[in-house]
Every structure is written in C-alpha cells, then in structure tokens.
C-alpha cells in the first residue's frame, strides 16, 4: 500500500523523482480493485492499463496527469470496452469510439483502469438501481451506507483511495451529491465547457461531464485539461476567455446563502458547522449574506427536473431497440423485438420514468406538463441569475445529512433540501461540492454554485474554503 | 351536385450535400449497402448530432426562392416513434419552428397565373432503406440521416393540372439552385398528395385522403384524377369518406389501405413492455 491514497500531485512527485513508475502504481491499484467490497466495478481493463503504464517511460514534468490511474463512470463510451450504463439492455455493447473527455485524458497519458457502476443510465440518486445492485460507501461500517448516485462507483472508488480521480456525469446532482456523501471534491463545470460526446444522453440540456477528486486544485487541473470546443459536440463552447486569477483571495468575494433552503436543514451539527464556516469566510474578508428566494420556485425545482428529465430520457433512450445494436431479444416482428428488448432490458424503475416521460410528451399533455416545466425552468434560472448578479457564488450544504444507511427508506424524492442542486443544471452553472466537516467520521459537503463561465472563480473560492477546513485528500478504507 | 377539389402537397426534397444532415458520413446512399454509416447515424449511445451547414444553406436558398420568411434562429425537435428504419427512435425535424414559413409560388396553368401559398419548409433527416425479402427485412443505413427539406403547401390547389404544374415549378427551382437533382424516379424529390372534395359553395373541408410517395409528375396527375373519381362516387352514393392514408404502387393500380401510422405504435409498445414485465 505504498501508492494508494495518494493525490495526483503526490504521485507525480514520485514519478518525477523516479521513486515509482506508472506500472508500480497501476499494479497496486488493480490489486486493490480486485479486493473491493463496495460493488463499484463494471468492465475492468487491467491488461490495457498495465500495457499503457508500461509504455510510459519518459515522465512529463509539467503534466500532472501523466501516468495517473483513474476510473470512468460506465455511461461514458470507451472504444472497445464494454459500456452498459449499468443497464441490462446494453450488456455486451462495445462502443466504436471514445468519449471526447476520455480521448483528452488519454492524450494527457492518464490511465483508465476500470468502468464503474451507476444508477441505471444515471436515473437515480442513491446508487442502488444499476444492474449490479447497490454500490456502497467506503465510509462507516462495511457495506452499510449508500454512496449516493448516480455516479456511485466513481465516488466510492476515489473515496476508497484506489485512484486519485474518476470521471462522472451530472444531470441533477449526480456528481455533487455523492461527493458530499463520500468526502470528495465533485466538480461539474459550466455546460458546454467539457464536450459531452460519448456521454450516454439522459437529458441533453442538463447533462454534464465532471470529476471526482480529493482536492480542489486537482479538479482544476482536470478541468483545464479537458475543457474546450469539440466539433463532435455542437453544444461545446468556442472561444470562451480563459479567465483565471492568480493569488486568489477571499477578500471582497460575495457569497449568498439561500435562506429558505438553509432553513430546511435540521441536523444541528450541520447548522453549527455551516455557521462556523460562514464566520471563517467573513474573517477572511468575504461577504456572506443570507438572501431570500421565492419559495414557490424552490418547490418547483423537483417537479420541473422530474418532468423534463423523464420526458427527454424517454426520447434519448428511444435508440435502445435491439435492432441496430445492444442486447437484442427475439420476436416475430420488429414491434415484438423492440417490445421484448426494452421490456426485458430496462428495469421497472426505468420503465416507470420513461412512461411518465411519454405521458408528459403526449400531444394532449405536452402543454400542461413539458412546456410548463420548461417555463418553470426558465423562471428558476432567472431567479438564480438574479442572485448571482450580486454574488460570486451561492453556498449551501450539499445534503441535509451524511450518507444514509442502505436499509433506511429512501426519503421522499421531492424534498427541496435533497434536490435543490439541480438549479445548477437548469442554468448550466459551474457547481462544486467539497467536504467541510465530519460527523462521527462521516463526511458532509458544502456546495458552491457560480455564474456560467465563471468556473475559475468558483474553483478559487473552493480552494480557499479547503484551506479553511483543512479537509484535503480525505479517503476511507485504506487504514491498514 | 358539383364538387370542388381541394389539394395540398407535401414534397420531400433530398438536398445535395457531401455529408449527412447530422453526421460526417457521406450522403451518397447509392454506395454498397451500409458503407456510408457513422456511429451518429446508428444512434450509438453517447453520439451527438451536429448540423450540416450546407444543408442549412440549401434550405435557406429554397426559402428565399419561395418568398418565405426565414427564421433567424435554428430550432430542431425530436419526433419520437419506433420503426425499424429509424435507428434513433426519433427523427430530428423542425416541428415547432420551421426554417421557412409563409411563402408562395406563382404557377401557370393554361397561361393563367395562380398564386399557391406555402405554409412551411423545414429540414429533417431521412430514414434507413428497408428491403423486405419474404420473412426477412434487410436494413441499409446509407440513407439514414440524409438531409431532407419538406415543403408543405396550403390547400390552395384545385386540380390535377395545378398540382402537376406546382411540382414541376418546384423541381425547376431546386435544380436551378443546384440544391437537389430533383429526380422523382430516384426518390430525390418525393410527393405526398392530400386530397378532399366539397360541394361547391361549402366552406368546410371534406375528409381528406393522403396518397404517398408519388414518383413521377404524370403519376401525380393520374393518381389525383383516379382519387377524384373515387371520392365523387362515394359522395354521390351519400357515403362518408374516412380519413385515410394510402400508398401507391407505380403502375397506379391499387391504392393500399391505410399504411399503419407508426406514431400510434409508441404507446402500444410501451404498454406491451409493462405487460411483459408484470406477466
């Protein structure tokens, strides 16, 4: 266990000083992954990882990603590697090309080691609905707590200390919620900054690619290496000025806490620690205000998200018919083939969502549901923009509590304090979760959401908060 | 009783581009089967559509030639239905905001000028080609995703001659602009005819019949004449004409009864899924 639990920066120093090679590290990572008990793995690529590590002999001193092993959420395509979205309908599906984010990481010589579990096609928030069952949190008693979803395997793997970072995707809070439960930095940059080519579409206008890391500066490194226009993704952004501040300080930064959401928090320790953080931010020269927000709009976040995401998921997943590719079932006609393939391939939970989506899009309902949800989305985005006119970031606890236990009944989906982070998907805002305290050894995260294309400002503020909390490179499960 | 013939046309124009509407695969579909196909055309998960600039330019040129208002933004919608020739499970089209609207085209029949209003032109993508061999259906994805412009007229045409003159005029325009080769026999210009009759003096439209995929201008004329006779017969007998969608075979012999509209199938398929799941 010489290399596990190290950050990218620490591994890089070992490489540069010649004290370790990528192969040494990859071998140790593979050994740890084979012993993993938290059900994080989909397809592994140990042989490919070893041979890539072996081929890396000339260390690149100014490339922090050189020889760094990482994990990839299984809804992100990799050429020649089975990619299922943790759904039976894509068992055996082998993509013909890499996602753009993977190509960029490979070009930087980072080494993918395995695909990780998720809630089936990203539809879920607890990491319990993938075709391999529940993914567990390495924190707490073994195999008792969820790690959250939908990027569950990626979160659990980084929190276990196996690898310094993992690729995830975020449609509602699928990176930022598990980051809170797993004591990680989870960053979803502005919509359009990182190409989504190769990410299985769930709801295209809310889908983001992002990362789990164990420090803010490493999230920043990954962002810098993977951002940029991609001609294969028409929604990726061209020519956005590279805004970066050196010697960032909290002095004069303005932080808004949405008072009505914070008021919903019941965990006394959380409230105390949050106020504690606010005090420290103020001491460091930041302005922190508790600001009002329209409660009706807050109540609309979840229904808006649910209607839009189900409706678009219904269309995004319409290609899964078994006719062109995928896990085809037999049938006497094409209708039967499609019905059998989808009937057997999707779990009932997915079917429920797709049915709802179909209902919301039906000609006679579209006005009432889909169109109104789009309008509500616009109103929510406008209200958030209005707050951000006067503030650098909105800061809130990323979750009302630490990671729940597996047996605990899932909270009603509609609770505002559990779902508000979707606002950053509605507006495509950069949004980051980082740990700010531990409750009996279980981490909790604070979330920062900034203005679109103000990613570096968000990262800089997060970096300062990390300095305040001192919670850097947290991981569990490597105590031996 | 005298009847007035009401005709509206929907014309699909395959426009000339090097690549497909939303992918970088070649749009030549005359190549060996399934040789011009990309992961985007096959709708592999994770792929994204990127719009073909040339196809948009073609549509805008046609819009100007037809005196249309050109939308200042480009909007696409996904029309969702399951069919084996549609790999995505949806067709990318412009349901809500077509690129061109409210245009017209003047046609000449017996040296008389007549203005035909055009409701819209919109861009969309073609489906795959299916070859049915008995029990087996083969799918050639070369055509899947090829750029189309669909032109929809107002129901302003009143006779077979006018309809033929309109299609001919459109064909002249698209070939002159070099945005399509306009060859009906090869399917690069395809025409659906909506036709209904109403007693002269009545303003309410009668039930319409759609005749699909006509492959020559003279066949359009023949199909319309035949359909008029058939509908007149119906109406004289006092029978109510059902709204229906017909297909047509080339020698104009049989008009097939109602090819199933696949849109209706979405719901059925979903219900079946649920049914299988809980059986």
């Amino acid at each position: 266990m010489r290399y596990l639990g190290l950050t990218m920066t620490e591994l890089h120093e070992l490489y540069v000083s010649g004290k370790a090679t990528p192969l040494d590290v990859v071998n140790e990572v593979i050994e740890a992954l084979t012993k993993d008990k938290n059900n994080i793995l989909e397809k592994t690529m140990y042989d490919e990882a070893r041979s890539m590590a072996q081929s890396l002999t000339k260390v690149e001193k100014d490339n922090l990603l050189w020889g760094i092993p990482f994990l990839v959420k299984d809804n992100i395509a990799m050429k020649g590697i089975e990619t299922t979205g943790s759904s039976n309908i894509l068992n055996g599906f082998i993509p013909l090309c890499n996602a753009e984010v993977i190509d960029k990481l490979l070009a930087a010589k980072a080494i993918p080691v395995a695909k990780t579990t998720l809630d089936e096609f990203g539809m879920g928030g607890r990491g319990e609905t993938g075709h391999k069952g529940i993914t567990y949190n390495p924190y707490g008693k073994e195999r008792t707590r969820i790690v959250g979803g939908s990027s569950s395997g990626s979160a659990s793997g980084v929190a276990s200390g196996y690898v310094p970072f993992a690729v995830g995707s975020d449609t509602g809070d699928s990176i930022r919620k598990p980051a809170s439960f797993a004591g990680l930095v989870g960053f979803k940059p502005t919509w359009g900054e990182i190409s989504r080519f190769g990410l299985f579409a769930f709801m295209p206008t809310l889908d983001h690619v992002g990362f789990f890391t164990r420090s803010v500066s490493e999230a920043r490194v990954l962002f810098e290496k993977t951002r940029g226009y991609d001609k294969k993704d028409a929604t990726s952004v061209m020519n956005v000025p590279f805004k970066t501040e050196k010697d960032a300080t909290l002095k004069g930064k303005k932080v808004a806490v949405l008072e009505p959401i914070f008021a919903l928090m019941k965990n006394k320790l959380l409230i105390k620690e949050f106020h504690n953080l606010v005090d420290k931010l103020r001491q460091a020269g930041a302005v922190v205000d508790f600001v009002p927000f329209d409660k009706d709009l807050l109540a609309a976040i979840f229904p808006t998200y649910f209607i839009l995401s189900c409706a678009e998921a219904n269309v995004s997943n319409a290609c899964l018919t078994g006719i062109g590719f995928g896990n085809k079932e037999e049938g006497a006609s094409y209708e039967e083939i499609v019905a059998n393939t989808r009937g057997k391939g999707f779990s009932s939970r997915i079917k429920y969502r797709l049915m709802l989506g179909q209902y919301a899009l039906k000609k006679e309902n579209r006005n009432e549901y889909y169109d109104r949800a789009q309008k509500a989305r616009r109103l929510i985005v406008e209200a958030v923009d209005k707050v951000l006119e006067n503030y650098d970031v909105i800061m809130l606890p990323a979750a009302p509590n630490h990671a729940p236990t597996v047996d605990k009944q899932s909270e009603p989906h509609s609770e505002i304090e559990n779902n508000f982070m979707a606002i950053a998907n509605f507006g495509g805002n950069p949004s980051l979760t980082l740990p700010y305290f531990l409750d009996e050894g279980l981490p909790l995260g604070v979330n920062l959401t900034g203005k679109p294309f103000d990613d570096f400002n968000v990262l800089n503020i997060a970096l300062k908060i990390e300095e305040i909390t001192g919670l850097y490179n947290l991981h569990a499960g490597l105590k031996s | 009783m005298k009847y007035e013939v009401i005709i509206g046309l929907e014309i699909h124009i395959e426009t000339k581009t090097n690549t497909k509407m939303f992918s970088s695969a070649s749009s030549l579909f005359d190549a060996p089967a399934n040789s011009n196909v990309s992961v985007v055309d096959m709708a592999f998960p994770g792929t994204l559509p990127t719009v073909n600039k040339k196809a948009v330019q073609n549509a805008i040129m046609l819009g100007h030639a037809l005196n249309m208002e050109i939308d200042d933004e480009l909007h696409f919608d996904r029309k969702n239905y399951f069919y084996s020739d549609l790999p995505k499970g949806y067709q990318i089209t412009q349901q809500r905001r077509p690129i061109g609207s409210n245009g017209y085209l003047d046609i000449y029949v017996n040296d008389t000028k007549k203005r035909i209003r055009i409701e819209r032109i919109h861009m969309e993508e073609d489906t795959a080609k299916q070859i049915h061999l008995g029990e087996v259906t083969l799918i050639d994805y070369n055509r899947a995703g090829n750029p189309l412009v669909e032109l929809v007229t107002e129901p302003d045409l009143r006779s077979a001659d006018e309809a033929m003159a309109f299609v001919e005029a459109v064909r002249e325009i698209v070939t002159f602009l070099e945005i399509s080769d306009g060859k009906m026999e090869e399917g690069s210009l395809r025409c659906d005819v909506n036709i209904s009759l109403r007693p002269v003096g009545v303003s309410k439209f009668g039930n319409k019949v759609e005749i699909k995929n006509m492959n020559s201008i003279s066949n359009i004329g023949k199909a319309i004449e035949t359909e008029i006779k058939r509908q007149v017969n119906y109406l004289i007998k006092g029978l109510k004409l059902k709204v229906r969608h017909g297909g047509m075979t080339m020698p104009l012999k049989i008009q097939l009864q109602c090819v199933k509209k696949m849109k209706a199938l979405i719901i059925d398929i979903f219900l079946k899924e649920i049914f299988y799941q809980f059986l």
Side-chain angles (χ1 to χ4, degrees), chain A residues 394-411:
Chain A
I394 292 171
M395 182 173 86
L396 283 161
N401 279 303
H402 54 54
T405 50
V406 170
D407 52 306
K408 199 179 161 199
Q409 274 292 309
S410 107
E411 286 101 340

PDB file of all heavy atoms in Angstrom, chain A residues 394-411:
ATOM      1  N   ILE A 394     -23.338  30.980  -4.858  1.00  0.00           N
ATOM      2  CA  ILE A 394     -24.358  30.574  -3.894  1.00  0.00           C
ATOM      3  C   ILE A 394     -23.772  29.409  -3.120  1.00  0.00           C
ATOM      4  O   ILE A 394     -23.231  28.474  -3.714  1.00  0.00           O
ATOM      5  CB  ILE A 394     -25.650  30.139  -4.621  1.00  0.00           C
ATOM      6  CG1 ILE A 394     -26.310  31.355  -5.284  1.00  0.00           C
ATOM      7  CG2 ILE A 394     -26.612  29.450  -3.655  1.00  0.00           C
ATOM      8  CD1 ILE A 394     -27.460  31.002  -6.197  1.00  0.00           C
ATOM      9  N   MET A 395     -23.828  29.498  -1.801  1.00  0.00           N
ATOM     10  CA  MET A 395     -23.248  28.427  -0.982  1.00  0.00           C
ATOM     11  C   MET A 395     -24.323  27.782  -0.123  1.00  0.00           C
ATOM     12  O   MET A 395     -25.118  28.478   0.509  1.00  0.00           O
ATOM     13  CB  MET A 395     -22.137  29.008  -0.085  1.00  0.00           C
ATOM     14  CG  MET A 395     -21.448  27.964   0.767  1.00  0.00           C
ATOM     15  SD  MET A 395     -20.026  28.650   1.665  1.00  0.00           S
ATOM     16  CE  MET A 395     -20.826  29.297   3.131  1.00  0.00           C
ATOM     17  N   LEU A 396     -24.368  26.460  -0.117  1.00  0.00           N
ATOM     18  CA  LEU A 396     -25.352  25.740   0.685  1.00  0.00           C
ATOM     19  C   LEU A 396     -24.795  24.369   1.069  1.00  0.00           C
ATOM     20  O   LEU A 396     -23.903  23.858   0.381  1.00  0.00           O
ATOM     21  CB  LEU A 396     -26.642  25.531  -0.117  1.00  0.00           C
ATOM     22  CG  LEU A 396     -27.568  26.740  -0.246  1.00  0.00           C
ATOM     23  CD1 LEU A 396     -28.523  26.550  -1.407  1.00  0.00           C
ATOM     24  CD2 LEU A 396     -28.333  26.975   1.054  1.00  0.00           C
ATOM     25  N   PRO A 397     -25.332  23.769   2.129  1.00  0.00           N
ATOM     26  CA  PRO A 397     -24.927  22.380   2.407  1.00  0.00           C
ATOM     27  C   PRO A 397     -25.384  21.504   1.233  1.00  0.00           C
ATOM     28  O   PRO A 397     -26.520  21.619   0.782  1.00  0.00           O
ATOM     29  CB  PRO A 397     -25.707  22.025   3.674  1.00  0.00           C
ATOM     30  CG  PRO A 397     -26.085  23.333   4.283  1.00  0.00           C
ATOM     31  CD  PRO A 397     -26.258  24.284   3.145  1.00  0.00           C
ATOM     32  N   ALA A 398     -24.489  20.635   0.749  1.00  0.00           N
ATOM     33  CA  ALA A 398     -24.809  19.839  -0.439  1.00  0.00           C
ATOM     34  C   ALA A 398     -25.867  18.785  -0.148  1.00  0.00           C
ATOM     35  O   ALA A 398     -26.536  18.294  -1.053  1.00  0.00           O
ATOM     36  CB  ALA A 398     -23.550  19.176  -0.976  1.00  0.00           C
ATOM     37  N   ALA A 399     -25.998  18.424   1.117  1.00  0.00           N
ATOM     38  CA  ALA A 399     -27.013  17.450   1.513  1.00  0.00           C
ATOM     39  C   ALA A 399     -27.386  17.751   2.951  1.00  0.00           C
ATOM     40  O   ALA A 399     -26.583  18.307   3.695  1.00  0.00           O
ATOM     41  CB  ALA A 399     -26.457  16.036   1.385  1.00  0.00           C
ATOM     42  N   PRO A 400     -28.605  17.404   3.367  1.00  0.00           N
ATOM     43  CA  PRO A 400     -29.023  17.733   4.736  1.00  0.00           C
ATOM     44  C   PRO A 400     -28.377  16.845   5.790  1.00  0.00           C
ATOM     45  O   PRO A 400     -28.406  17.172   6.969  1.00  0.00           O
ATOM     46  CB  PRO A 400     -30.547  17.540   4.703  1.00  0.00           C
ATOM     47  CG  PRO A 400     -30.812  16.661   3.536  1.00  0.00           C
ATOM     48  CD  PRO A 400     -29.704  16.867   2.551  1.00  0.00           C
ATOM     49  N   ASN A 401     -27.798  15.709   5.366  1.00  0.00           N
ATOM     50  CA  ASN A 401     -27.181  14.795   6.316  1.00  0.00           C
ATOM     51  C   ASN A 401     -26.046  14.036   5.656  1.00  0.00           C
ATOM     52  O   ASN A 401     -25.874  14.118   4.451  1.00  0.00           O
ATOM     53  CB  ASN A 401     -28.209  13.779   6.837  1.00  0.00           C
ATOM     54  CG  ASN A 401     -29.066  14.370   7.947  1.00  0.00           C
ATOM     55  OD1 ASN A 401     -28.550  14.834   8.965  1.00  0.00           O
ATOM     56  ND2 ASN A 401     -30.369  14.371   7.719  1.00  0.00           N
ATOM     57  N   HIS A 402     -25.334  13.259   6.486  1.00  0.00           N
ATOM     58  CA  HIS A 402     -24.306  12.387   5.904  1.00  0.00           C
ATOM     59  C   HIS A 402     -24.970  11.217   5.191  1.00  0.00           C
ATOM     60  O   HIS A 402     -26.192  11.100   5.165  1.00  0.00           O
ATOM     61  CB  HIS A 402     -23.307  11.943   6.964  1.00  0.00           C
ATOM     62  CG  HIS A 402     -23.950  11.308   8.157  1.00  0.00           C
ATOM     63  ND1 HIS A 402     -24.820  10.230   8.070  1.00  0.00           N
ATOM     64  CD2 HIS A 402     -23.872  11.625   9.465  1.00  0.00           C
ATOM     65  CE1 HIS A 402     -25.212   9.906   9.275  1.00  0.00           C
ATOM     66  NE2 HIS A 402     -24.677  10.739  10.134  1.00  0.00           N
ATOM     67  N   ALA A 403     -24.163  10.344   4.620  1.00  0.00           N
ATOM     68  CA  ALA A 403     -24.687   9.243   3.807  1.00  0.00           C
ATOM     69  C   ALA A 403     -25.667   8.382   4.594  1.00  0.00           C
ATOM     70  O   ALA A 403     -25.346   7.916   5.680  1.00  0.00           O
ATOM     71  CB  ALA A 403     -23.531   8.385   3.313  1.00  0.00           C
ATOM     72  N   PRO A 404     -26.883   8.186   4.077  1.00  0.00           N
ATOM     73  CA  PRO A 404     -27.852   7.342   4.768  1.00  0.00           C
ATOM     74  C   PRO A 404     -27.455   5.867   4.687  1.00  0.00           C
ATOM     75  O   PRO A 404     -26.681   5.466   3.816  1.00  0.00           O
ATOM     76  CB  PRO A 404     -29.162   7.567   3.994  1.00  0.00           C
ATOM     77  CG  PRO A 404     -28.884   8.590   2.956  1.00  0.00           C
ATOM     78  CD  PRO A 404     -27.406   8.752   2.833  1.00  0.00           C
ATOM     79  N   THR A 405     -28.022   5.085   5.600  1.00  0.00           N
ATOM     80  CA  THR A 405     -27.766   3.646   5.539  1.00  0.00           C
ATOM     81  C   THR A 405     -28.619   3.023   4.446  1.00  0.00           C
ATOM     82  O   THR A 405     -29.641   3.566   4.039  1.00  0.00           O
ATOM     83  CB  THR A 405     -28.082   2.969   6.884  1.00  0.00           C
ATOM     84  OG1 THR A 405     -29.383   3.386   7.290  1.00  0.00           O
ATOM     85  CG2 THR A 405     -27.056   3.356   7.927  1.00  0.00           C
ATOM     86  N   VAL A 406     -28.207   1.857   4.007  1.00  0.00           N
ATOM     87  CA  VAL A 406     -28.872   1.187   2.892  1.00  0.00           C
ATOM     88  C   VAL A 406     -30.313   0.828   3.231  1.00  0.00           C
ATOM     89  O   VAL A 406     -31.216   1.008   2.426  1.00  0.00           O
ATOM     90  CB  VAL A 406     -28.081  -0.088   2.518  1.00  0.00           C
ATOM     91  CG1 VAL A 406     -28.868  -0.932   1.543  1.00  0.00           C
ATOM     92  CG2 VAL A 406     -26.744   0.295   1.934  1.00  0.00           C
ATOM     93  N   ASP A 407     -30.508   0.350   4.468  1.00  0.00           N
ATOM     94  CA  ASP A 407     -31.840  -0.136   4.827  1.00  0.00           C
ATOM     95  C   ASP A 407     -32.829   0.992   5.064  1.00  0.00           C
ATOM     96  O   ASP A 407     -34.025   0.784   5.053  1.00  0.00           O
ATOM     97  CB  ASP A 407     -31.758  -1.013   6.081  1.00  0.00           C
ATOM     98  CG  ASP A 407     -31.016  -0.281   7.197  1.00  0.00           C
ATOM     99  OD1 ASP A 407     -29.886   0.172   6.929  1.00  0.00           O
ATOM    100  OD2 ASP A 407     -31.556  -0.146   8.293  1.00  0.00           O
ATOM    101  N   LYS A 408     -32.311   2.203   5.265  1.00  0.00           N
ATOM    102  CA  LYS A 408     -33.204   3.325   5.542  1.00  0.00           C
ATOM    103  C   LYS A 408     -34.062   3.620   4.314  1.00  0.00           C
ATOM    104  O   LYS A 408     -33.550   3.696   3.196  1.00  0.00           O
ATOM    105  CB  LYS A 408     -32.372   4.556   5.900  1.00  0.00           C
ATOM    106  CG  LYS A 408     -33.181   5.602   6.625  1.00  0.00           C
ATOM    107  CD  LYS A 408     -32.304   6.788   6.976  1.00  0.00           C
ATOM    108  CE  LYS A 408     -33.176   7.994   7.268  1.00  0.00           C
ATOM    109  NZ  LYS A 408     -32.437   9.244   7.166  1.00  0.00           N
ATOM    110  N   GLN A 409     -35.340   3.752   4.575  1.00  0.00           N
ATOM    111  CA  GLN A 409     -36.242   4.076   3.465  1.00  0.00           C
ATOM    112  C   GLN A 409     -35.773   5.345   2.774  1.00  0.00           C
ATOM    113  O   GLN A 409     -35.374   6.293   3.418  1.00  0.00           O
ATOM    114  CB  GLN A 409     -37.663   4.298   4.006  1.00  0.00           C
ATOM    115  CG  GLN A 409     -38.462   3.017   4.133  1.00  0.00           C
ATOM    116  CD  GLN A 409     -38.794   2.425   2.773  1.00  0.00           C
ATOM    117  OE1 GLN A 409     -39.299   3.096   1.900  1.00  0.00           O
ATOM    118  NE2 GLN A 409     -38.472   1.145   2.586  1.00  0.00           N
ATOM    119  N   SER A 410     -35.793   5.306   1.471  1.00  0.00           N
ATOM    120  CA  SER A 410     -35.336   6.486   0.754  1.00  0.00           C
ATOM    121  C   SER A 410     -36.283   7.647   1.057  1.00  0.00           C
ATOM    122  O   SER A 410     -37.500   7.472   1.095  1.00  0.00           O
ATOM    123  CB  SER A 410     -35.283   6.190  -0.735  1.00  0.00           C
ATOM    124  OG  SER A 410     -36.317   6.820  -1.409  1.00  0.00           O
ATOM    125  N   GLU A 411     -35.690   8.792   1.318  1.00  0.00           N
ATOM    126  CA  GLU A 411     -36.514   9.961   1.625  1.00  0.00           C
ATOM    127  C   GLU A 411     -37.425  10.269   0.447  1.00  0.00           C
ATOM    128  O   GLU A 411     -37.082   9.940  -0.681  1.00  0.00           O
ATOM    129  CB  GLU A 411     -35.646  11.190   1.880  1.00  0.00           C
ATOM    130  CG  GLU A 411     -34.929  11.188   3.187  1.00  0.00           C
ATOM    131  CD  GLU A 411     -33.465  10.788   3.023  1.00  0.00           C
ATOM    132  OE1 GLU A 411     -33.134  10.171   2.001  1.00  0.00           O
ATOM    133  OE2 GLU A 411     -32.689  11.067   3.924  1.00  0.00           O
TER     134      GLU A 411
END
